[in-house]
Each structure stands twice: as structure tokens, then as C-alpha cells.
Amino acid sequence: MAILNAWATRQVDFVMAYLQADIEFDLYTHLPHGWQISDGSRGTHVLKFLKNVYGQKQAGSVGYNHLKDGLLKIGSTQSAIDECVFYH
């Protein structure tokens, strides 16, 4: 379509796009090996994630929604035929 209409096109690759989105629910993990807690109570501490993490089932969806919201916020329009295409 772009070629037929001689439209200029751009492709953008967002580095670490998944990791920019806020996480939608509480997600915790055990402390990594080698981390020391000053009072020695390592077994009672966990880390809470504040941002999205590669490997979780929702990572792609959360990352896409974050990108989509940003593109719509700056005035882009989402294609009704292909949801991954935005134009401005």
C-alpha cells in the first residue's frame, strides 16, 4: 500500500520495550544467590518487581499495550485492519 501510494515509511525498533511497561500485578522472587542481608535473615526476604519482566506469560501483551498507549497519546491512529500498524 505504501509503495502503491508512494508514501514515506519508517520502521522503529524499541530496545527493551517489554521492560519499560509497569507490571500489572504483584510479582515477587527470592533473593539471588550471593546476596547478603545484614541481620542474616536471608530466608525471610523477597524482591518485588516494579517493571515488566521477560519470560512471564503477559510480557508481550503488557509491552504492546504500553507501546500502543504511547503511540495513541502522541496522536497516532491505529489501523482497523492490522492492529500492529499505526499511522500519523
Side-chain angles (χ1 to χ4, degrees):
M1 191 165 149
I3 293 172
L4 294 174
N5 293 296
W7 293 340
T9 62
R10 286 188 217 151
Q11 180 178 338
V12 179
D13 185 13
F14 291 91
V15 177
M16 298 179 8
Y18 288 179
L19 305 179
Q20 303 301 318
D22 291 328
I23 201 161
E24 296 180 331
F25 54 90
D26 290 341
L27 180 63
Y28 299 89
T29 187
H30 297 285
L31 292 176
H33 294 289
W35 280 40
Q36 298 297 322
I37 302 297
S38 59
D39 64 2
S41 58
R42 184 182 193 290
T44 61
H45 290 78
V46 294
L47 298 175
K48 180 179 178 180
F49 289 97
L50 300 177
K51 295 287 183 180
N52 203 18
V53 180
Y54 281 112
Q56 70 178 16
K57 291 179 184 179
Q58 300 85 357
S61 176
V62 171
Y64 170 76
N65 288 332
H66 180 69
L67 173 63
K68 179 181 81 169
D69 293 345
L71 290 171
L72 295 175
K73 189 175 184 177
I74 63 169
S76 297
T77 303
Q78 186 175 21
S79 169
I81 296 170
D82 186 344
E83 294 180 352
C84 294
V85 174
F86 293 83
Y87 55 93
H88 192 72

